[in-house]
Amino acid sequence: CNLLHYEDRNSMACSLESRLPFLDYRLVEFLFSLPPHFKIREAKTKFLLQETLKELIPASILNRKDKMGFSTPGQQWYVQQPETIHVFDSLMIHVPEPLADLDAAFLESIRRYWLQCKSGQPIRTQDEKAIWRYVTACFWLEQQSANLSKQRESYLLTC
């Protein structure tokens, strides 16, 4: 819910169009129930949406190829605070146990992207996202581990 609030606030502040009105749980449940060929056809994403709206929206708009998403300056954010650099460095060295089985080449590429990022060398958006996915997975696993420990402790106290 907070992400929706942030999206709304940020899109309004920057005069950007945001498509959150499509985020209705009934619509999401319906779309998840559909087979893939209704959603993607011939490498065309949002197939059903485009087919539904083709009578309402001119083809010149519906078939545009120059649409751009709003990307965040992740690389700048990652290295802005010494605390963030310390945490990211630590996660690159001490891989959480559940992630230790990840492909060694994958982990090495994440470390390489991080070193590039930290040194101020420009990195590709996909590499920036890979760093972010890795770090958030580490935090999520840490949180889940803490929750499990609390549940075990609570269970043992009730026995």
Side-chain angles (χ1 to χ4, degrees):
C1 184
N2 284 342
L3 291 177
L4 298 177
H5 173 75
Y6 297 148
E7 173 69 20
D8 186 46
R9 185 182 63 197
N10 291 335
S11 64
M12 287 189 293
C14 299
S15 298
L16 293 172
E17 177 184 350
S18 178
R19 291 178 176 80
L20 292 180
F22 288 114
L23 191 58
D24 180 279
Y25 75 92
R26 293 167 293 223
L27 178 61
V28 171
E29 287 173 353
F30 169 70
L31 293 172
F32 272 117
S33 74
L34 293 176
H37 71 275
F38 281 109
K39 300 176 227 176
I40 300 173
R41 192 172 294 175
E42 298 173 7
K44 185 177 183 182
T45 60
K46 302 179 186 173
F47 176 77
L48 184 60
L49 177 63
Q50 291 184 1
E51 284 297 306
T52 304
L53 298 176
K54 71 181 178 185
E55 301 298 322
L56 301 171
I57 299 175
S60 61
I61 293 174
L62 204 58
N63 298 319
R64 281 177 51 197
K65 301 290 184 207
D66 62 339
K67 300 178 211 167
M68 288 187 344
F70 175 75
S71 60
T72 57
Q75 183 172 3
Q76 293 170 348
W77 290 350
Y78 299 164
V79 296
Q80 210 168 33
Q81 301 293 324
E83 299 85 12
T84 305
I85 294 172
H86 175 72
V87 168
F88 279 39
D89 278 343
S90 177
L91 292 173
M92 298 302 160
I93 296 167
H94 306 290
V95 178
E97 188 177 326
L99 296 179
D101 291 337
L102 286 175
D103 180 57
F106 170 77
L107 288 172
E108 189 53 41
S109 67
I110 297 292
R111 289 182 185 114
R112 189 174 56 253
Y113 303 152
W114 170 240
L115 289 174
Q116 276 182 258
C117 178
K118 196 169 72 164
S119 71
Q121 297 174 34
I123 61 172
R124 300 176 305 173
T125 301
Q126 66 194 43
D127 299 341
E128 185 181 293
K129 288 179 180 178
I131 293 169
W132 184 249
R133 285 192 299 270
Y134 171 74
V135 169
T136 55
C138 291
F139 285 136
W140 183 83
L141 287 167
E142 182 180 303
Q143 183 65 44
Q144 296 310 308
S145 176
N147 288 344
L148 284 173
S149 294
K150 288 178 188 174
Q151 288 174 0
R152 275 191 222 113
E153 186 178 305
S154 175
Y155 176 74
L156 292 173
L157 290 174
T158 59
C159 290

